[in-house]
Amino acid sequence: MDTSKKKYSLNDILLILWKNIIIILVLAIAFSAFFGIVAKKRQHVTYTATRNIMITHSLNTRRSNSEINSDLTMIPTYAELIQDRPVINETYSLLTKNQKKTVTRDDLVEAVKTDTKPQSLIISIKATTDNKDKSILIANTAATAAKNVIPKVQPGSGNIYLYPKATSKNVSVENHSKVKKYVILGAALGALLGMVIAFIITNLKHLV
């Protein structure tokens, strides 16, 4: 029988289209589900602990205003110093032997960041890692290290007041998830593969 001369009714064409659409949808759903599962297993959660320090001055001296203004100017420098080697090394030296087994100098360099606000003598010391307890440890230890190092580097700085220690109650959690992106990508790839398979099946059954 010469299939090339076969005539198709509207119902035949619609049936072929529906079958192709089903193939495309099934593969799109299957791939999106698979990619979603993979993304959930690979999602990354980080924990950020914060401890503030403040440069304080005695208001009973004639030089208090000039000292405050001087430290306001130096705050960005202090913030950079906290992220630099002098404070990082001091932070590492304050850790116990057991703590050093899980926290390296490179961990400190990567974890410790600072945040400041204009016309403020407060510096926020933040530590971000993939472990809550580790972030808390680093933030608190880095604050103590900053208190030790800043006066040595800048003898004219004011006194450094440490705010209460970071605890598990004030740790911020961020989920770096790409599930949605992976689901969309999976659906697109599944749909594309479905179209290719549907095209091949249609050609083999009806056009060849």
Side-chain angles (χ1 to χ4, degrees):
M1 181 177 178
D2 188 2
T3 57
S4 63
K5 295 181 181 180
K6 182 179 178 180
K7 294 182 179 180
Y8 292 91
S9 67
L10 179 59
N11 288 337
D12 292 333
I13 295 173
L14 290 175
L15 182 60
I16 294 170
L17 288 175
W18 274 115
K19 287 181 178 179
N20 289 346
I21 290 172
I22 290 172
I23 292 173
I24 294 169
L25 288 176
V26 168
L27 285 175
I29 293 171
F31 270 63
S32 65
F34 174 74
F35 274 61
I37 293 171
V38 171
K40 284 184 178 180
K41 289 183 178 181
R42 292 185 177 181
Q43 65 184 358
H44 182 55
V45 179
T46 57
Y47 302 87
T48 300
T50 303
R51 190 178 187 186
N52 295 334
I53 65 172
M54 181 170 64
I55 314 298
T56 63
H57 298 81
S58 172
L59 299 179
N60 297 325
T61 64
R62 294 180 180 179
R63 297 181 57 191
S64 60
N65 286 336
S66 62
E67 290 172 347
I68 291 173
N69 289 331
S70 175
D71 272 333
L72 281 172
T73 304
M74 290 294 294
I75 286 295
T77 302
Y78 297 154
E80 290 181 7
L81 176 64
I82 293 169
Q83 300 175 88
D84 210 347
R85 282 295 174 180
V87 174
I88 294 298
N89 289 338
E90 176 70 8
T91 303
Y92 187 75
S93 70
L94 293 175
L95 298 174
T96 64
K97 286 185 178 181
N98 286 335
Q99 290 168 343
K100 287 178 180 177
K101 292 178 181 179
T102 57
V103 180
T104 66
R105 281 188 173 87
D106 289 338
D107 289 335
L108 296 175
V109 171
E110 185 177 350
V112 175
K113 298 292 181 288
T114 56
D115 187 27
T116 62
K117 294 181 180 179
Q119 298 303 306
S120 173
L121 291 170
I122 296 175
I123 301 174
S124 297
I125 300 175
K126 301 176 182 290
T128 303
T129 72
D130 57 2
N131 181 279
K132 183 189 295 183
D133 293 332
K134 188 175 181 179
S135 295
I136 294 171
L137 171 65
I138 293 174
N140 289 330
T141 310
T144 302
K147 183 178 181 179
N148 295 343
V149 172
I150 291 176
K152 294 178 183 177
V153 176
Q154 182 65 21
S157 65
N159 297 319
I160 298 179
Y161 169 75
L162 297 179
Y163 278 74
K165 289 185 176 182
T167 66
S168 58
K169 294 181 180 179
N170 53 28
V171 171
S172 62
V173 182
E174 186 173 357
N175 190 344
H176 304 270
S177 175
K178 296 182 179 180
V179 174
K180 185 177 180 180
K181 180 180 178 180
Y182 272 71
V183 167
I184 294 173
L185 176 62
L189 290 175
L192 179 61
L193 180 61
M195 285 188 284
V196 172
I197 293 175
F199 177 78
I200 293 173
I201 292 175
T202 299
N203 273 279
L204 291 176
K205 283 189 174 183
H206 305 287
L207 301 178
V208 177

